[in-house]
Amino acid sequence: MRLLRLLLLAPLAAALSACDLVVLKPAGDVAQQQGDLLMVSTLLMLLIIVPVMALIVFFAWKYRASNKEAEYQPDWDHSTHLEVVIWAAPLLIIICLGALTWAGTHLLDPYRPIDRIKPGQAVAENVEPLQVNVVALDWKWLFIYPQYGVATVNELAAPVDRPIRFHITSSSVMNSFYIPALAGQIYAMPGMETKLHAVINRPGDYEGFSANYSGDGFSHMRFVFHGVDQAGFDGWIAGVRLGGQALDRERYLELEKPSEKVPALYFANVEGGLWDAILNMCVEPGKMCMGEMMQIDRKGGLTMASVRNTMPLVYDKYAGRGKNAAVFGSDDSYVMTICTPLQAEAAAAERIRRAELDSVSAPVSLAPLMGQGLSLQGQPMAALSRSQQSTGAVSTDVRSAPNA
């Protein structure tokens, strides 16, 4: 019998051995507070659930048909004592849960700067938080360190016991930035900036990933987060600067193209203003930034003069997006920024150059979908957004450019 019991417990032990308790035993103080809140809330609810489940079994056993000594003869009269027990206990639990939820929602607000490194250790006044600008790409993560002028892809590092301030956005579709050992997940949305404050307390390598389905490469949208001491972080930054390349707007536009299983990439310097251009969705030369567009709209708009203030799209994520015809004109287009005639001519020439490069260097197959900068088989990238129509490739001339 003992051997049989052990055999019956073996599947349970195997299942438990595969459990990852990082959510309940994280390495960051914010995640630890979130885990504690989860545990306390669960225990409070179990104060009601466990007695109720136990009483169900007890009553079923006591008033079973074969137990003649405990004949069930219910009294249907009102019982004040029973009503107090039935309603008071759950009400107290709900009050406690509500208080915990309210306090936790405000204290653990991802937009709220943290005020402590760990229990009993407040953040020093002279400590500058580490800022990391996060961009969710298809299907990889871009991390920009504005204080150090470097950037990485699919690799993140931060010093232990130093507050971290994440600024998060997306290049295309909604995504979710999540490092279970550090803090809860926060959404990344195009044209919007979300924030997350956290701190890592134990050195180690931790997994980060996307917690929101975003297309074909979603399952491989993972990265490594290194928690290191200050000396290790300084060495990591130095390594990025030594072995990296420059991240300018042109390189970003190549990086933005959908790709899967991208290894870690390092950029020794980052072009000034790139983050603001990503956030305002105007990295492409000549494209009007959302902030500029909203400011113009706030002042009354450009009236009918804006009808021709467009440029043709030569690239729109390569698949499934941007295929609708423009409201004004026969080709897909976007609003062009207010500029001089020379700037408009330069922007148009840049798009023609990129379209020609895409048509020459585009891969010939999407199977398997790996690497950076993929297009449909035998089709130049500039022609993708019109591939379902008989008009052919998108025109790269400047006939729809503004009359500046």
Side-chain angles (χ1 to χ4, degrees):
M1 291 294 296
R2 184 177 181 182
L3 179 60
L4 180 60
R5 291 175 182 175
L6 292 176
L7 291 176
L8 292 175
L9 291 175
L12 178 61
L16 291 176
S17 65
C19 292
D20 187 358
L21 299 179
V22 65
V23 174
L24 299 180
K25 292 184 179 181
D29 183 65
V30 174
Q32 185 62 62
Q33 293 181 70
Q34 293 172 337
D36 293 342
L37 180 62
L38 177 63
M39 290 297 298
V40 172
S41 300
T42 302
L43 291 175
L44 283 174
M45 290 183 285
L46 288 177
L47 291 178
I48 294 295
I49 295 174
V50 171
V52 169
M53 298 301 292
L55 288 173
I56 289 175
V57 176
F58 172 74
F59 289 144
W61 174 81
K62 181 175 181 180
Y63 296 106
R64 65 191 184 277
S66 61
N67 187 9
K68 303 301 182 182
E69 296 180 359
E71 186 176 355
Y72 181 55
Q73 295 180 345
D75 184 0
W76 298 105
D77 292 337
H78 176 75
S79 174
T80 302
H81 295 86
L82 187 59
E83 291 288 341
V84 169
V85 172
I86 291 175
W87 292 106
L91 182 60
L92 290 174
I93 298 298
I94 292 174
I95 292 174
C96 292
L97 286 174
L100 282 173
T101 302
W102 186 89
T105 300
H106 289 80
L107 292 176
L108 299 177
D109 182 358
Y111 282 70
R112 180 178 179 267
I114 60 174
D115 53 11
R116 77 178 199 183
I117 299 299
K118 59 184 68 173
Q121 181 178 345
V123 177
E125 294 182 359
N126 60 343
V127 173
E128 181 184 12
L130 173 66
Q131 180 172 332
V132 182
N133 297 336
V134 182
V135 184
L137 303 173
D138 294 333
W139 289 274
K140 50 199 169 288
W141 294 94
L142 171 64
F143 304 106
I144 302 175
Y145 290 79
Q147 295 155 317
Y148 298 90
V150 300
T152 60
V153 171
N154 285 346
E155 185 172 320
L156 176 66
V160 171
D161 293 341
R162 179 179 175 182
I164 311 171
R165 182 176 65 240
F166 293 101
H167 294 247
I168 307 168
T169 190
S170 174
S171 67
S172 56
V173 299
M174 177 183 287
N175 235 297
S176 179
F177 177 72
Y178 188 28
I179 306 175
L182 185 67
Q185 67 89 23
I186 191 76
Y187 284 111
M189 293 167 281
M192 299 179 65
E193 181 183 74
T194 52
K195 295 180 181 179
L196 175 65
H197 292 81
V199 63
I200 191 72
N201 300 119
R202 292 200 307 268
D205 295 334
Y206 307 99
E207 183 182 33
F209 56 90
S210 171
N212 190 79
Y213 180 74
S214 58
D216 293 344
F218 158 76
S219 58
H220 301 296
M221 197 171 174
R222 299 174 179 269
F223 62 92
V224 178
F225 171 58
H226 304 292
V228 295
D229 57 19
Q230 186 61 49
F233 180 72
D234 292 339
W236 183 82
I237 290 291
V240 173
R241 286 173 175 165
L242 288 176
Q245 51 190 312
L247 180 61
D248 54 15
R249 294 193 179 212
E250 183 175 357
R251 183 68 179 91
Y252 172 81
L253 291 174
E254 291 296 320
L255 188 67
E256 188 187 43
K257 299 172 185 178
S259 57
E260 293 186 41
K261 301 180 181 179
V262 177
L265 301 174
Y266 307 100
F267 299 94
N269 56 77
V270 180
E271 180 180 328
L274 178 60
W275 167 253
D276 290 333
I278 296 172
L279 184 60
N280 281 278
M281 304 180 71
C282 57
V283 178
E284 294 179 338
K287 187 174 182 181
M288 182 179 288
C289 295
M290 290 199 315
E292 182 184 4
M293 189 182 303
M294 289 184 285
Q295 182 69 13
I296 292 173
D297 290 343
R298 182 173 177 268
K299 294 181 179 180
L302 296 177
T303 64
M304 292 302 294
S306 62
V307 171
R308 305 297 296 175
N309 192 53
T310 61
M311 282 289 290
L313 281 174
V314 296
Y315 158 68
D316 194 26
K317 309 299 181 188
Y318 293 95
R321 302 169 193 160
K323 293 183 179 179
N324 295 327
V327 176
F328 301 105
S330 59
D331 293 328
D332 293 343
S333 60
Y334 61 78
V335 178
M336 187 175 181
T337 187
I338 306 300
C339 58
T340 65
L342 290 178
Q343 290 173 329
E345 183 179 352
E350 173 64 16
R351 273 149 188 78
I352 294 174
R353 185 187 69 83
R354 286 178 50 211
E356 292 174 347
L357 288 176
D358 288 344
S359 64
V360 172
S361 60
V364 297
S365 175
L366 280 177
L369 181 62
M370 296 179 62
Q372 299 185 45
L374 305 179
S375 68
L376 295 180
Q377 181 174 359
Q379 187 174 23
M381 297 179 182
L384 181 64
S385 63
R386 308 297 293 175
S387 60
Q388 303 299 324
Q389 302 182 27
S390 60
T391 54
V394 174
S395 174
T396 55
D397 60 26
V398 295
R399 286 175 294 179
S400 58
N403 296 320

